[in-house]
Amino acid sequence: MRNAERARLFAPLFAALVASAWIVLWAWGAGPYARYVHHASWIDLPGVAALCESVPGGSVMLDALLHSAAWLLMIAAMMLPTVFPLLANFRRLTATRADRRVLLALLVSGYAAAWAMFGAVAHGVDAVLHQLAQRTPTISLYAWLLGAGVVGLAGVYQFSRIKYRCLDKCRSPLMFVMEHWSGRSARRDSFLMGVNHGAFCVGCCWTLMLLMFAVGTGSVGWMLALGAVMAAEKNLPSGRYIGKALGVGLIAWSGWIVLPHIV
């Protein structure tokens, strides 16, 4: 297949991959095990408890593995559309190489690794908070305060300098590729480029992703809305204004959560 033909197929195949991730998430959310996409334990699944008991440390390992799989599926659905310009530029740069598919896979793997690390930390903190809430009922009474804090933090962060430094890196995909690609150690460069770009994406969007823990990580509608906002921020000329308007809205939402409890 010639380069021109591959170029025409790249965007449709990429769109099909992202669409597949959304379809799987929707099917998961509509199925009998929908609650396991949220904060519940996977160990409650029929037959899983017995399997965990037969493997040393099986409960922890299986719980972590399945939570990670769910998180990475969400990242594929939400974040891959935002990095399409980077992948398209990288594909053009490596189009004549025999190992171009491997290099592209390594780039995506590095990007996913950065978000997987963030997800592990976020899920760990979320699990600790749920454990504390179960052991200390008073904490549950003030859960609204934590929710308002997360929403308010996301709103304020939309105006921070570090947010826009990271966003600038995400909005300049060709420059980013040229800065991180030497070609001398192609596979290493590809993976590290993905990690670096993923780190900047985390720096740009981490507070928005935390909102999923406030409203439920399995909410497909919420993920669609967040994914659309993040894609617009990164890829549209008016992205900065969209981000700031969102910040105002989130701060107002945080105040609306707090108001009934102090009046």
Side-chain angles (χ1 to χ4, degrees):
M1 185 181 295
R2 290 176 296 182
N3 289 340
E5 294 173 336
R6 286 195 294 267
R8 285 194 296 269
L9 285 175
F10 181 72
L13 289 174
F14 183 85
L17 173 64
V18 173
S20 297
W22 281 112
I23 290 170
V24 171
L25 279 174
W26 174 82
W28 197 340
Y33 299 135
R35 67 191 183 95
Y36 299 109
V37 185
H38 300 271
H39 306 297
S41 174
W42 286 87
I43 300 171
D44 295 334
L45 280 168
V48 174
L51 175 63
C52 290
E53 291 173 359
S54 65
V55 179
S59 298
V60 175
M61 289 189 296
L62 189 61
D63 193 60
L65 177 64
L66 293 174
H67 270 300
S68 298
W71 175 256
L72 288 175
L73 183 61
M74 294 175 195
I75 293 302
M78 295 176 64
M79 301 307 299
L80 281 183
T82 74
V83 295
F84 176 78
L86 176 81
L87 300 179
N89 278 289
F90 184 76
R91 187 207 61 78
R92 285 192 291 269
L93 180 67
T94 58
T96 59
R97 296 181 63 105
D99 59 348
R100 58 188 176 276
R101 294 185 182 87
V102 174
L103 298 181
L104 188 62
L106 286 169
L107 174 62
V108 174
S109 297
Y111 183 83
W115 274 108
M117 291 178 64
F118 170 78
V121 173
H123 274 92
V125 172
D126 182 68
V128 169
L129 290 174
H130 276 77
Q131 288 293 325
L132 289 174
Q134 289 177 4
R135 296 175 183 176
T136 311
T138 306
I139 294 177
S140 298
L141 296 176
Y142 293 95
W144 61 269
L145 188 58
L146 179 60
V150 171
V151 174
L153 174 64
V156 171
Y157 191 72
Q158 290 297 105
F159 298 93
S160 68
R161 290 184 179 180
I162 189 170
K163 155 86 179 185
Y164 286 99
R165 287 179 182 174
C166 293
L167 183 60
D168 286 341
K169 291 290 185 180
C170 295
R171 288 171 62 88
S172 307
L174 179 58
M175 186 179 297
F176 192 91
V177 170
M178 300 309 295
E179 286 176 355
H180 292 81
W181 174 258
S182 67
R184 289 188 294 272
S185 180
R187 298 192 177 195
R188 177 177 175 275
D189 286 353
S190 300
F191 182 77
L192 290 180
M193 187 190 305
V195 172
N196 283 319
H197 199 268
F200 281 115
C201 279
V202 171
C204 173
C205 304
W206 69 276
T207 53
L208 294 180
M209 296 298 282
L210 284 184
L211 291 176
M212 290 208 307
F213 291 88
V215 300
T217 53
S219 171
V220 174
W222 184 248
M223 286 188 285
L224 273 168
L226 281 178
V229 167
M230 289 185 284
E233 270 194 312
K234 291 181 181 180
N235 298 320
L236 293 182
S238 58
R240 284 177 173 268
Y241 301 105
I242 293 172
K244 289 179 179 179
L246 175 63
V248 172
L250 290 171
I251 292 171
W253 182 14
S254 177
W256 182 77
I257 295 172
V258 171
L259 190 61
H261 297 275
I262 61 175
V263 174

